[in-house]
Amino acid sequence: MKKLGLIASMVSLISLWNVTGASASSFADVSSSSPYISYINDLGRLGVTDGVAPEQFGPSKTLTRAQFAKFVAVAFQLKDDGSSVPFQDIQSHWAAPYVRAAYQAGIIEGTSASTFTPEQPVKREEAATMIWRLAQSRGIAAPAALKFQDSPDAWAVPAVSGVLSKGWYAIDARKSGESWSYRPRDNMTRQEMAALLAQSMKDVPDSTWTSIASDTGTTQEAALPSWQQSLKDHLLNQETDFQITLDDPNEFQQIKSYVNALLADNDYLHYIYNGLNYEYDGVATVTFKLSYLESKVQTDYVSEQAKTIVASIIHAGMNDFEKEKAVHDYVISHLAYDQSLVEHTAYGGLTKGTTVCQGYALLTYRLLTEAGIPNKIVEGHAGGQLHTWNLVKLDGNWYHLDTTWDDPVPDVKGRLMYHYFNLTDAQMKHDHTWTGTYPAASQDFIQALGQEVQSGAMDAAASQALLSSTGLSGETAENTADSISAVQALLQGGISARQSQITFRYKSSLGSAQSVMKAALTNGIVMNNNVGRVTYEFGADTRLTGYTTLTVNVTYGS
């Protein structure tokens, strides 16, 4: 569904005023419209930086290697343990304790065996490498290498891929198609550093951010100007008619960007928001009128129902992969696509049983959030129409999850499909497109399960049960056929074991499903195993381009 844009009107012309507007930034030289403002404020609030001078952050200034080492050491609470370091050029340098701590943590190297060159500018790929080494040392798993338009040096590819996959960037990274632009050999600026640090601190254990969250039970937010806090409270409470008071007339110009930023940080509110008008009296008062797709009472109902649903489908001992599947299955089992295109909300889905993709994504978002699984709503196109679905974060990796497309029309009670269950960007782009900036989804889900088992994080039986229950066991290498004889072997093996359902994929160039089944399922296999009836379903494989997924249902004679 296309959301309505912001519409603003003024009673008095703001140009009559010549007063410097108050900034939402902690620093006078950081614009309130800067895409880096929240990251810079976070670093200031957490004591990672106090700027280059009183009230000055120097957002576009280049960082030196020494400065970046200090920021990393403070952000991630690295301490000098007193052991020796080989760098002779830092002995009397102001950053020596931070450089030593970073070296002892194994995240920095010198420019030679005995020099660190502290005043040399730090390259963006060097900064990413320092952060990624630290992240891996604290248990963050490595994703697959990404594709680049401006390839980093070979030694930096894993780190830059990791940083991008985790979403630790702002507008300083761009993606076109399947390729990324990171400007790896450019010098890193202070504002770019803020985006990298502030976001990685939220994910990496034992950072200043995660320590505060652990101590207080919540993450702190930077104090907002009074008008922003008032507007935020009204919006989060889904009020439709209200007024706020500005401290400065020029703050009126910041309203639109602030509302858009607030919506961007609150996915559920974003996708039930339906429009806004506001008027300024030219003195201090702004009057707002808003509309939402759900009322506050309805949204509260969704939240309460989500608690009840999650309590019924999530059980002790479940890992996040199993929790996500339970949410996926609940949504598909309880919703049907509204072909009249009337219902667009989670509330409509819960109370009427039908909704469009926006409602599917909203309910999925609310249930996953209640289950403690980080997720986002993605907006794009699929099937020639506007479409929304979810991104889910599991064990540090992001995956696409489209509950709408796993529940196609006509609705079939009891049918569960997993064609759009935890896909990568590359897999999803087969029939979905999006233009917004979202965390990269680059880790293959089936490979990730294998890594979970190898690391001991997941029991092998649990992994196999998850693959079997989703039908994804047919997506593994041993269930992939590139010839008719290979298809025949898979059918023979499954039928000999008297399996009632056999799922595998075959190279589409072998022919249609009908012709492949006719060639592979011989009379000998049928007669020798007392096969009574065979039916099958097929479709383009969403995980491997050029392959067809085939699910064969078999009944046997007595």
Side-chain angles (χ1 to χ4, degrees):
M1 175 183 176
K2 184 178 289 185
K3 300 178 297 304
L4 301 180
L6 294 172
I7 304 173
S9 60
M10 291 181 59
V11 174
S12 298
L13 292 176
I14 197 69
S15 59
L16 295 174
W17 301 87
N18 187 23
V19 182
T20 302
S23 173
S25 173
S26 305
F27 301 94
D29 61 346
V30 179
S31 168
S32 61
S33 61
S34 168
Y36 296 95
I37 187 170
S38 63
Y39 309 126
I40 293 170
N41 282 345
D42 285 340
L43 294 194
R45 170 176 56 82
L46 295 170
V48 176
T49 178
D50 53 5
V52 296
E55 298 186 2
Q56 298 292 309
F57 182 76
S60 299
K61 288 183 178 293
T62 297
L63 279 172
T64 66
R65 287 166 56 83
Q67 290 169 336
F68 191 73
K70 177 196 172 182
F71 288 134
V72 174
V74 174
F76 294 96
Q77 305 183 98
L78 306 179
K79 304 296 182 184
D80 180 3
D81 63 14
S83 59
S84 63
V85 299
F87 308 132
Q88 300 302 310
D89 56 351
I90 67 161
Q91 301 308 319
S92 59
H93 196 279
W94 64 267
Y98 307 112
V99 175
R100 285 197 295 266
Y103 178 81
Q104 291 154 4
I107 67 170
I108 64 171
E109 297 176 350
T111 53
S112 74
S114 61
T115 60
F116 180 70
T117 320
E119 296 307 312
Q120 179 175 298
V122 64
K123 305 295 184 185
R124 287 170 51 80
E125 63 181 2
E126 292 175 330
T129 299
M130 294 183 205
I131 293 297
W132 190 245
R133 285 173 179 161
L134 182 65
Q136 288 200 288
S137 73
R138 295 186 178 180
I140 302 296
L146 302 180
K147 296 179 180 178
F148 294 94
Q149 301 167 25
D150 48 5
S151 294
D153 288 317
W155 53 264
V157 168
V160 177
S161 296
V163 164
L164 292 173
S165 294
K166 297 305 178 188
W168 299 341
Y169 58 87
I171 62 169
D172 51 316
R174 299 285 185 182
K175 189 177 185 183
S176 177
E178 296 183 13
S179 298
W180 286 87
S181 173
Y182 192 71
R183 304 177 6 255
R185 282 169 283 281
D186 283 4
N187 295 335
M188 175 160 273
T189 64
R190 290 172 58 85
Q191 62 188 3
E192 293 168 352
M193 170 275 297
L196 174 60
L197 284 190
Q199 295 185 94
S200 60
M201 288 165 66
K202 297 177 185 179
D203 290 339
V204 178
D206 300 324
S207 72
T208 303
W209 184 291
T210 53
S211 294
I212 288 178
S214 176
D215 292 343
T216 64
T218 182
T219 52
Q220 302 172 358
E221 293 185 359
L224 295 172
S226 59
W227 72 270
Q228 288 189 359
Q229 187 62 57
S230 176
L231 180 52
K232 178 179 180 180
D233 292 343
H234 287 300
L235 286 172
L236 293 181
N237 202 41
Q238 290 173 235
E239 296 178 33
T240 57
D241 296 274
F242 58 87
Q243 294 180 331
I244 66 170
T245 301
L246 302 180
D247 297 319
D248 184 310
N250 287 332
E251 290 170 341
F252 180 83
Q253 302 291 353
Q254 302 174 27
I255 289 175
K256 181 177 180 179
S257 61
Y258 178 68
V259 170
N260 286 335
L262 184 62
L263 292 175
D265 286 339
N266 294 269
D267 272 10
Y268 198 92
L269 180 65
H270 185 180
Y271 287 94
I272 61 170
Y273 163 82
N274 197 40
L276 164 69
N277 286 279
Y278 53 100
E279 295 182 349
Y280 180 41
D281 68 359
V283 180
T285 302
V286 183
T287 301
F288 289 81
K289 290 186 179 296
L290 290 91
S291 62
Y292 305 91
L293 298 176
E294 286 179 355
S295 68
K296 182 65 164 62
V297 170
Q298 291 172 338
T299 299
D300 288 345
Y301 173 85
V302 173
S303 296
E304 289 304 312
Q305 286 297 302
K307 293 177 182 178
T308 301
I309 292 166
V310 167
S312 69
I313 65 175
I314 303 300
H315 310 297
M318 275 187 168
N319 58 45
D320 282 354
F321 297 96
E322 294 165 330
K323 292 177 183 178
E324 179 212 18
K325 179 183 179 294
V327 168
H328 169 277
D329 293 356
Y330 181 91
V331 171
I332 290 174
S333 299
H334 290 79
L335 297 184
Y337 190 80
D338 180 15
Q339 297 184 67
S340 68
L341 308 181
V342 172
E343 296 297 332
H344 291 77
T345 65
Y347 178 81
L350 288 173
T351 58
K352 298 182 179 180
T354 64
T355 187
V356 298
C357 61
Q358 191 164 335
Y360 274 80
L362 282 164
L363 182 57
T364 302
Y365 175 88
R366 182 58 72 210
L367 293 176
L368 287 170
T369 301
E370 184 64 33
I373 298 175
N375 72 104
K376 297 176 180 293
I377 296 177
V378 181
E379 183 175 348
H381 288 80
Q385 299 179 339
L386 286 167
H387 188 52
T388 54
W389 63 96
N390 299 85
L391 268 175
V392 183
K393 191 176 187 180
L394 299 168
D395 196 28
N397 296 310
W398 287 96
Y399 303 95
H400 290 272
L401 175 68
D402 192 339
T403 49
T404 307
W405 275 44
D406 268 351
D407 193 22
V409 294
D411 187 58
V412 177
K413 295 299 181 184
R415 177 184 61 190
L416 292 173
M417 300 177 68
Y418 301 91
H419 298 313
Y420 295 88
F421 183 79
N422 295 346
L423 300 186
T424 64
D425 288 341
Q427 292 165 344
M428 199 68 171
K429 284 183 177 178
H430 177 70
D431 47 25
H432 288 57
T433 61
W434 58 96
T435 56
T437 300
Y438 301 99
S442 57
Q443 174 63 58
D444 180 83
F445 174 61
I446 297 174
Q447 291 178 2
L449 286 183
Q451 293 169 5
E452 290 285 306
V453 173
Q454 291 176 2
S455 68
M458 180 184 286
D459 181 80
S463 173
Q464 186 55 49
L466 184 60
L467 288 174
S468 297
S469 63
T470 56
L472 297 182
S473 56
E475 300 283 342
T476 57
E478 56 267 27
N479 288 307
T480 300
D482 290 340
S483 65
I484 294 296
S485 61
V487 173
Q488 191 174 80
L490 289 170
L491 289 171
Q492 175 71 69
I495 290 174
S496 296
R498 299 189 72 79
Q499 295 176 4
S500 60
Q501 189 173 82
I502 306 163
T503 300
F504 57 90
R505 62 188 176 192
Y506 70 87
K507 185 176 289 187
S508 301
S509 59
L510 294 178
S512 68
Q514 182 179 11
S515 65
V516 168
M517 285 294 292
K518 184 176 181 180
L521 187 61
T522 65
N523 287 333
I525 294 175
V526 172
M527 300 300 293
N528 293 337
N529 292 279
N530 197 23
V531 173
R533 185 168 182 264
V534 176
T535 61
Y536 54 89
E537 303 169 54
F538 61 94
D541 193 284
T542 55
R543 297 171 195 274
L544 188 61
T545 302
Y547 283 76
T548 298
T549 298
L550 190 61
T551 299
V552 182
N553 302 295
V554 186
T555 57
Y556 300 89
S558 56

Short mmCIF file of all heavy atoms in Angstrom, two decimals, residues 19 21 52 80 100 112 240 330 368 376-377 453:
data_model
loop_
_atom_site.label_atom_id
_atom_site.label_comp_id
_atom_site.label_asym_id
_atom_site.label_seq_id
_atom_site.Cartn_x
_atom_site.Cartn_y
_atom_site.Cartn_z
N VAL A 19 15.66 34.49 13.43
CA VAL A 19 16.20 34.00 14.69
C VAL A 19 16.87 32.66 14.42
O VAL A 19 16.36 31.85 13.66
CB VAL A 19 15.07 33.81 15.73
CG1 VAL A 19 15.64 33.35 17.06
CG2 VAL A 19 14.31 35.11 15.91
N GLY A 21 17.64 28.98 14.70
CA GLY A 21 16.85 27.87 15.22
C GLY A 21 17.63 27.01 16.17
O GLY A 21 18.83 26.84 16.07
N VAL A 52 35.68 18.18 18.98
CA VAL A 52 37.01 18.72 18.72
C VAL A 52 37.24 20.03 19.48
O VAL A 52 38.37 20.51 19.58
CB VAL A 52 37.22 18.95 17.21
CG1 VAL A 52 37.18 17.62 16.47
CG2 VAL A 52 36.16 19.89 16.64
N ASP A 80 44.49 -1.11 28.57
CA ASP A 80 45.90 -1.46 28.44
C ASP A 80 46.26 -2.43 29.56
O ASP A 80 46.14 -2.10 30.74
CB ASP A 80 46.74 -0.19 28.53
CG ASP A 80 48.24 -0.44 28.40
OD1 ASP A 80 48.63 -1.61 28.17
OD2 ASP A 80 49.01 0.53 28.52
N ARG A 100 47.86 0.87 22.59
CA ARG A 100 48.30 -0.37 23.23
C ARG A 100 47.12 -1.29 23.51
O ARG A 100 47.18 -2.50 23.27
CB ARG A 100 49.04 -0.04 24.53
CG ARG A 100 50.45 0.52 24.32
CD ARG A 100 51.28 0.44 25.60
NE ARG A 100 50.74 1.31 26.64
CZ ARG A 100 51.15 2.56 26.86
NH1 ARG A 100 52.11 3.07 26.09
NH2 ARG A 100 50.64 3.29 27.82
N SER A 112 54.41 -0.75 9.88
CA SER A 112 55.62 -1.56 9.71
C SER A 112 55.77 -2.36 11.00
O SER A 112 54.94 -2.28 11.90
CB SER A 112 56.86 -0.67 9.48
OG SER A 112 57.26 -0.05 10.68
N THR A 240 -4.84 12.03 17.35
CA THR A 240 -5.23 12.55 16.04
C THR A 240 -5.33 14.07 16.00
O THR A 240 -5.21 14.66 14.92
CB THR A 240 -6.57 11.95 15.62
OG1 THR A 240 -7.55 12.24 16.63
CG2 THR A 240 -6.45 10.44 15.45
N TYR A 330 2.06 -19.50 12.37
CA TYR A 330 0.82 -18.95 12.94
C TYR A 330 0.19 -17.95 11.97
O TYR A 330 -1.02 -17.99 11.72
CB TYR A 330 1.10 -18.26 14.28
CG TYR A 330 -0.17 -17.71 14.89
CD1 TYR A 330 -0.93 -18.49 15.77
CD2 TYR A 330 -0.66 -16.44 14.56
CE1 TYR A 330 -2.14 -18.01 16.29
CE2 TYR A 330 -1.85 -15.97 15.07
CZ TYR A 330 -2.58 -16.75 15.94
OH TYR A 330 -3.77 -16.28 16.43
N LEU A 368 7.01 -11.32 16.06
CA LEU A 368 8.45 -11.53 16.18
C LEU A 368 9.04 -10.65 17.26
O LEU A 368 9.89 -11.09 18.05
CB LEU A 368 9.14 -11.25 14.84
CG LEU A 368 8.94 -12.28 13.73
CD1 LEU A 368 9.48 -11.75 12.40
CD2 LEU A 368 9.61 -13.61 14.08
N LYS A 376 12.52 -6.03 10.82
CA LYS A 376 12.13 -4.78 10.18
C LYS A 376 11.07 -5.07 9.13
O LYS A 376 10.91 -6.21 8.70
CB LYS A 376 13.33 -4.11 9.51
CG LYS A 376 14.45 -3.69 10.45
CD LYS A 376 15.63 -3.14 9.67
CE LYS A 376 16.76 -2.71 10.60
NZ LYS A 376 16.39 -1.53 11.42
N ILE A 377 10.36 -4.03 8.72
CA ILE A 377 9.43 -4.14 7.61
C ILE A 377 10.09 -3.52 6.38
O ILE A 377 10.63 -2.42 6.44
CB ILE A 377 8.09 -3.44 7.92
CG1 ILE A 377 7.38 -4.14 9.09
CG2 ILE A 377 7.19 -3.43 6.69
CD1 ILE A 377 6.09 -3.50 9.52
N VAL A 453 25.30 -25.92 13.91
CA VAL A 453 25.56 -27.27 14.40
C VAL A 453 27.06 -27.46 14.65
O VAL A 453 27.47 -27.99 15.68
CB VAL A 453 25.03 -28.32 13.40
CG1 VAL A 453 25.46 -29.73 13.82
CG2 VAL A 453 23.51 -28.24 13.31
#
